[in-house]
Each structure stands twice: as structure tokens, then as C-alpha cells.
Amino acid sequence: MEKPDLPAAPAPNAILEAAIYADDLDAAQAFYEDLLGLPLFQHVEGRHMFFALGASVLLVFDPARTSHSPENPRMPVPPHGATGPGHVCFAMNREAIDAMHRRLEAAGVPIDTAFDWPNGARSLYVRDPAGNSVEFAEPWLWDDQKPG
């Protein structure tokens, strides 16, 4: 199949936001804000919460409220949503990952796994209350995979 002749455009160079889905936003808020310490900067009761992570934002939506036509015609965001567990990975140095590991264990959050990748980067995996896979990893995890 031939590729069409397309105009040039630069590739994106960062993720501005990432979304996960949870049907119990109160439980998600307790996990992400109270336990992980992420600053909550927007909350629409029963619909979504937005958490600040430096220049990025973690969006947590109730998929039952976002998978249909927009409720506000002045903000024509297309419907979106997902079912089943998703994944999000937070960048932290090794010492911070170890501290988070201790905090999560003390809070009774089961640890899925904690290990060092073949390149030596550390990862810790848990599940949020909605079953999403939440990873904490050293930021250089993918350094050997980056081009040039």
C-alpha cells in the first residue's frame, strides 16, 4: 500500500496528559491524592479528576460519564472512555521508589511486583482501586530504547 504524499509536520516530543478510567472516583481520589500525594486541581463530581504532575496531567475519568456525547456544547470534546484496567507509569528515582514501596505496604496496598530491569532501572507495580496497573519507575528506564 502506497503512502499518500503528506505535508511535513514535527513529531510530538512529550505527553501532555494521559487518561485512566475508574468507576469509583472517591476511591481513585483517595489513592492518587491522599496516598500518592498528587495535587488535585480539577474535580467535577461523578465525572472526572485532574492531577498535576509537573508539565503533565493525569486525567481520571468515570467512563460511564465520558463515553457518550459531551454534556457541554461549548466544549465539544469527543466521547472517550475505556473498560478494563489501563496502565500509568510515574517517574521517580530509586530512593523515592523505595520510599513509595514502604508507604504503599504500610497502607495495605498489595505490591504486584518490584524488580530491576535488565538495564538496571527499578520498577514497582501496584493496582489502584479500579484495577489499573500503576508503575513507579526510574526515569531512565527507556534510555537504551531511544533513537540516537
Side-chain angles (χ1 to χ4, degrees):
M1 178 186 220
E2 252 183 76
K3 290 185 180 181
D5 188 24
L6 300 174
N13 64 4
I15 293 176
L16 181 61
E17 60 188 37
I20 57 173
Y21 298 88
D23 56 4
D24 184 343
L25 293 180
D26 291 335
Q29 182 174 355
F31 183 83
Y32 289 101
E33 183 180 32
D34 300 340
L35 184 59
L36 300 189
L38 299 181
L40 177 67
F41 73 90
Q42 188 176 111
H43 184 188
V44 173
E45 189 67 34
R47 187 181 189 285
H48 70 256
M49 297 177 296
F50 298 166
F51 296 94
L53 287 111
S56 300
V57 176
L58 176 66
L59 312 173
V60 181
F61 291 109
D62 179 341
R65 296 284 304 275
T66 59
S67 60
H68 50 66
S69 296
E71 296 167 6
N72 183 347
R74 293 178 308 187
M75 294 184 66
V77 176
H80 57 283
T83 57
H87 174 74
V88 63
C89 180
F90 299 110
M92 301 176 85
N93 67 38
R94 184 173 290 258
E95 294 77 23
I97 292 170
D98 291 343
M100 183 60 73
H101 190 157
R102 291 187 298 274
R103 180 176 176 84
L104 292 165
E105 281 185 326
V109 175
I111 305 300
D112 281 350
T113 190
F115 69 98
D116 292 338
W117 290 92
N119 70 355
R122 184 84 176 148
S123 278
L124 167 69
Y125 289 84
V126 298
R127 297 279 168 174
D128 75 4
N132 293 298
S133 176
V134 178
E135 180 183 4
F136 306 88
E138 291 184 279
W140 53 273
L141 172 65
W142 295 106
D143 280 356
D144 63 339
Q145 301 299 315
K146 291 181 185 174

